[in-house]
Amino acid sequence: MPRRKKQKPAVGDEPLSLNEIAALLLQVDATDMAELDVIRRALHRLDSRLEPWPLARAFVLDAAWRLDEIRRGRVAKPDAVVSEVGSLIERAMLALDGQDPSEVASSREATPASDDAPAAIDIAAADRDLLECFIDESRDSLDAAESALLLLESDPDDVESCNTVFRVFHTLKGTSAFLGLEEVTELAHRAESLLSRVREGEVRFGGAYVELALRAVDMLGAFITGLQEQLAGGVPATPAGYAELLRSLDAPDPTAGAAASAAAGGAVDGAGSGARAAAAGGSEPARGTDRGAESWVRVRTDRLDRLVDMVGELVVSQSMVARECAVGGVGEDLTRAVAHAGKIVRELQDLTIAMRMVPLKATFQKMARLARDVAQRRGKLIDYVMEAEDTEIDRNMVDFISDPLVHMVRNAVDHGIEPPDVREANGKPRRGTVRLAAYHHRGNVVIELQDDGRGLDRDRIVEKALARGLLESDRGLSDADVFELIFAPGFSTAEELTNISGRGVGMDVVRRNVEAIGGRVEIASERGKGTTFSLRLPLTLAITDGMLIRVGGERYIIPTVGIQMSFRPTRDALPTVAGRDELVKLRDALLPVVRLHRLFDIEGAETDPTQALLVVIGSGERRCALLVDELIAQTQVVAKPLGAWIGHVPGISGAAILGDGHVGLILDPAQIISISRQPGHGNGVGSALRSVA
């Protein structure tokens, strides 16, 4: 039986209200072009009446434009776009309910623009929450626009990517106009006009048009950053090159793009550089939102951090209560109640940690743009591939890994991937591949950057290290040991220093930032075949899973992710090698032994390894064995920094309150392994540690 349609509001000479249009939209099928066109015309008829409410007017015009996109057949998923139209109409109604047009006019008249300085937003008069929301949404939109532009560069006929970029510029234009951001409005308007010419087929997207659109995205991002700084008390400033970019957007020079492409050696040949990369990894910008799929609420990060801290303290308190119940011989009912409370606390802890997790997608997409730009400037042909970019990580760690990834990607493209002619002469495809992937492994997040370029040159690294006095000889050093040298500050093997990078330049930043969050960097490389950098990071900075150990009268926590095994050695497994520190033989491998009682100056510890335990920490060839008295128990602790009054203590990453209320120090496996490789390692940090107790 055919569906009986409900009575619709009549569309006569008088414009329909937004409420009537919203009701009409609910009854329309996304494939009914005639009915959708009625709604589109009804929205346009409201245009002049909404002039006193610029924000509502912007939402209405945006909704009408999106319906027009459906009418022209430019939308792959009409249902999703109709949902977006409904959302825009709702926002327009909210803007009408909460905004007095006389206040809008007076606030704009109160802050006239100066001829020689950009007009500052009147923070007191404006809705601060609205500005902050505009900043957040604009950043997300600009990220989507950049990804879409890279896809569009590789395929100029990609209608959906073109529409995505156009929508971003269009929305920014309307919202910034309401907020009085005249420079942002003007830039977004001209960028929108450029994309409109592409959509209408007047120009083919490539060359100068690609560069102009990307420059517009960059400058809009700079304006958004400046607005955030102004909210924090900064002084507004127009980004350099603003006027020149406006002129270029009005009258782009197609030959400029052709010249740039020629100079780059065809870096955007065929599949494109950074853009093809994103597509190869299955990552695409959002092309319509399913409003029913997920519900979101924005939470201030300081409140979220405070929640995580409070739950951490709750975990410690619950552990203390459980310990008292265990040793106090309380009744079974109370014991069960405490155990049940412990289960709830653990679930609450997992939930709060999950709330702070964010996908790596946005960070990976930024690297796509970087790879594309470096490839063009250096005349390289690359495919940039992203895999598992939806892997999540603690949001507080994102800032720490951004700089390392920038240096790594830049070096991979600039000095890892060979020029096309060189690759062809060596029997390789002219296009190189840079692959950025992420996955979970043994409680860690692993980020791998792999290139199929020239690989690291061991001989060249050793030569440079000898010249700089970093080595006396490479005798006995494994490849992994030699590759570690590129992390020395300023170390580079590049024969040609460029303004982009040198192989190794900035790699000290990589190690420093990664180790600052309890991670480590590993390198695998084969000359002529490529290099893989692996960043092994903790899943979160909030909670540490560890093994509680005892050395003498002191207790320490070793993060479980760094522990391989523990054993009690026999006498014949402890060889004595002249001129070397103490070693232990384990499965035909010799590992350095670190006596924690010497390193930390602890009295009363067991000194005979055959009567104590050795805990093997590390991975691959970077391992050592810690001499400890006892393994007490596995535990979860809330990691805290030592504080500025103590400063950095070698081998220690932080501290935690244990279940009995005492402080336990958290060992840093990566630093201890580095200490074990230094000749004559022994005590020297004990005095600093005693100040903690």
Side-chain angles (χ1 to χ4, degrees):
M1 180 181 293
R3 184 177 63 179
R4 183 178 179 182
K5 293 187 177 180
K6 297 180 181 179
Q7 185 68 31
K8 299 184 178 70
V11 182
D13 295 332
E14 287 296 319
L16 296 177
S17 69
L18 283 175
N19 281 321
E20 291 172 325
I21 294 175
L24 189 63
L25 185 68
L26 290 174
Q27 304 175 44
V28 172
D29 190 274
T31 60
D32 192 336
M33 297 300 171
E35 296 287 355
L36 289 178
D37 196 51
V38 169
I39 297 175
R40 180 187 64 83
R41 287 186 282 110
L43 289 170
H44 275 300
R45 294 176 72 179
L46 286 175
D47 184 11
S48 60
R49 296 196 172 205
L50 292 176
E51 284 187 2
W53 296 272
L55 182 59
R57 184 187 185 197
F59 289 142
V60 165
L61 291 179
D62 197 4
W65 171 78
R66 296 189 190 207
L67 290 176
D68 190 53
E69 292 293 284
I70 297 178
R71 183 175 64 87
R72 292 169 180 250
R74 292 173 172 169
V75 172
K77 299 178 180 179
D79 286 337
V81 176
V82 169
S83 295
E84 290 181 3
V85 170
S87 177
L88 288 167
I89 292 174
E90 289 176 8
R91 295 170 74 179
M93 289 190 288
L94 288 173
L96 285 175
D97 289 340
Q99 183 67 54
D100 183 346
S102 63
E103 292 178 0
V104 175
S106 62
S107 65
R108 290 191 179 178
E109 292 171 1
T111 56
S114 170
D115 292 335
D116 43 21
I121 298 296
D122 187 347
I123 302 298
D127 186 332
R128 190 181 185 92
D129 289 338
L130 183 60
L131 291 172
E132 291 176 348
C133 184
F134 171 72
I135 291 171
D136 290 339
E137 292 185 354
S138 296
R139 282 180 169 162
D140 292 341
S141 298
L142 290 172
D143 285 343
E146 184 176 85
S147 298
L149 283 172
L150 296 178
L151 288 168
L152 189 59
E153 181 182 28
S154 65
D155 181 9
D157 297 321
D158 187 344
V159 176
E160 283 302 305
S161 292
C162 185
N163 288 340
T164 296
V165 183
F166 184 91
R167 280 196 294 267
V168 169
F169 290 144
H170 181 79
T171 303
L172 277 175
K173 179 185 73 171
T175 312
S176 62
F178 163 72
L179 293 172
L181 301 170
E182 296 179 1
E183 292 174 309
V184 175
T185 304
E186 189 64 28
L187 176 57
H189 171 66
R190 300 196 192 193
E192 176 193 36
S193 299
L194 175 67
L195 264 295
S196 178
R197 295 176 62 193
V198 175
R199 292 169 68 244
E200 298 298 331
E202 295 181 23
V203 298
R204 186 166 178 80
F205 194 72
Y209 301 108
V210 177
E211 298 301 326
L212 281 174
L214 287 172
R215 284 173 59 194
V217 168
D218 289 343
M219 189 159 290
L220 286 169
F223 272 115
I224 299 304
T225 300
L227 178 59
Q228 185 175 38
E229 292 173 352
Q230 188 181 340
L231 283 173
V235 178
T238 302
Y242 173 77
E244 186 273 331
L245 178 57
L246 292 184
R247 289 192 294 270
S248 298
L249 287 168
D250 280 342
D253 180 6
T255 61
S261 297
V268 195
D269 176 37
S273 56
R276 163 72 171 272
S283 171
E284 296 184 4
R287 294 175 176 175
T289 304
D290 182 358
R291 294 170 57 199
E294 291 181 279
S295 297
W296 297 90
V297 61
R298 294 184 181 273
V299 180
R300 283 176 46 176
T301 56
D302 59 335
R303 294 176 180 172
L304 183 58
D305 290 343
R306 179 60 181 152
L307 173 62
V308 173
D309 288 342
M310 291 176 67
V311 171
E313 299 300 331
L314 179 61
V315 170
V316 173
S317 298
Q318 197 278 333
S319 298
M320 296 172 70
V321 172
R323 182 176 181 276
E324 291 299 321
C325 289
V327 300
V330 298
E332 292 184 3
D333 290 343
L334 179 57
T335 300
R336 281 195 299 269
V338 170
H340 181 64
K343 177 178 180 294
I344 295 174
V345 166
R346 285 191 298 273
E347 291 178 355
L348 179 61
Q349 181 186 54
D350 292 340
L351 177 60
T352 54
I353 291 175
M355 290 171 62
R356 239 174 44 169
M357 306 296 279
V358 295
L360 285 165
K361 186 173 185 177
T363 302
F364 277 23
Q365 286 178 343
K366 291 176 183 177
M367 298 306 118
R369 170 69 184 281
L370 174 67
R372 177 256 181 203
D373 289 348
V374 174
Q376 283 208 337
R377 293 172 63 183
R378 299 294 291 165
K380 305 290 182 69
L381 300 175
I382 68 163
D383 287 332
Y384 172 84
V385 180
M386 298 190 302
E387 295 179 3
E389 66 273 20
D390 288 329
T391 300
E392 293 186 330
I393 195 170
D394 191 319
R395 67 159 191 86
N396 289 339
M397 298 170 65
V398 172
D399 291 339
F400 284 93
I401 66 170
S402 292
D403 281 348
L405 286 179
V406 165
H407 290 294
M408 291 162 59
V409 170
R410 198 164 53 193
N411 279 324
V413 178
D414 191 17
H415 293 285
I417 300 295
E418 312 94 328
D421 293 343
V422 174
R423 291 180 62 87
E424 190 172 42
N426 292 333
K428 291 184 175 183
R430 289 177 62 84
R431 304 186 67 85
T433 299
V434 175
R435 171 182 164 271
L436 189 59
Y439 57 90
H440 291 280
H441 178 67
R442 295 181 60 188
N444 280 14
V445 175
V446 180
I447 299 176
E448 286 186 350
L449 179 72
Q450 183 180 49
D451 68 70
D452 65 347
R454 54 173 56 95
L456 295 178
D457 187 336
R458 175 189 170 111
D459 296 336
R460 183 68 173 161
I461 293 174
V462 170
E463 178 186 344
K464 286 285 187 179
L466 292 172
R468 291 188 52 184
L470 298 176
L471 282 180
E472 294 182 0
S473 170
D474 68 330
R475 185 178 303 170
L477 294 181
S478 65
D479 286 346
D481 292 329
V482 172
F483 296 157
E484 287 287 312
L485 294 169
I486 72 170
F487 293 112
F491 188 91
S492 176
T493 60
E495 296 181 1
E496 175 190 1
L497 296 179
T498 73
N499 61 350
I500 299 175
S501 63
R503 193 64 158 178
V505 170
M507 296 307 290
D508 58 317
V509 174
V510 172
R511 165 171 279 180
R512 184 168 61 248
N513 282 25
V514 170
E515 292 185 352
I517 54 177
R520 65 182 185 272
V521 188
E522 298 173 356
I523 307 174
S525 183
E526 187 173 351
R527 189 172 179 181
K529 293 189 176 180
T531 302
T532 299
F533 286 88
S534 299
L535 308 185
R536 298 187 179 273
L537 309 169
L539 188 62
T540 176
L541 296 178
I543 304 294
T544 297
D545 288 312
M547 176 65 71
L548 187 63
I549 65 168
R550 181 179 62 83
V551 181
E554 303 294 334
R555 289 176 299 172
Y556 299 93
I557 300 155
I558 306 176
T560 2
V561 294
I563 299 176
Q564 288 192 350
M565 63 178 298
S566 63
F567 67 101
R568 177 166 290 168
T570 58
R571 187 67 61 188
D572 58 3
L574 299 165
T576 301
V577 181
R580 295 291 299 270
D581 288 308
E582 191 173 8
L583 301 171
V584 62
K585 186 176 182 181
L586 178 65
R587 297 172 185 168
D588 299 325
L590 290 176
L591 304 180
V593 175
V594 176
R595 291 176 173 260
L596 291 180
H597 67 91
R598 288 183 183 171
L599 182 63
F600 299 139
D601 194 15
I602 301 170
E603 297 179 355
E606 180 60 62
T607 59
D608 183 356
T610 62
Q611 301 300 314
L613 289 172
L614 289 177
V615 180
V616 180
I617 61 173
S619 65
E621 297 181 4
R622 290 182 54 82
R623 298 188 299 170
C624 72
L626 304 182
L627 182 64
V628 306
D629 291 11
E630 180 188 2
L631 302 181
I632 299 177
Q634 284 189 300
T635 184
Q636 278 192 334
V637 294
V638 181
K640 300 289 185 181
L642 293 180
W645 61 281
I646 295 177
H648 174 67
V649 178
I652 300 295
S653 64
I657 299 176
L658 303 178
D660 59 2
H662 289 82
V663 174
L665 296 175
I666 303 173
L667 301 182
D668 187 325
Q671 288 188 23
I672 291 179
I673 291 172
S674 298
I675 292 172
S676 73
R677 292 171 178 257
Q678 299 171 6
H681 60 264
N683 85 59
V685 298
S687 59
L689 292 177
R690 280 193 293 273
S691 65
V692 180

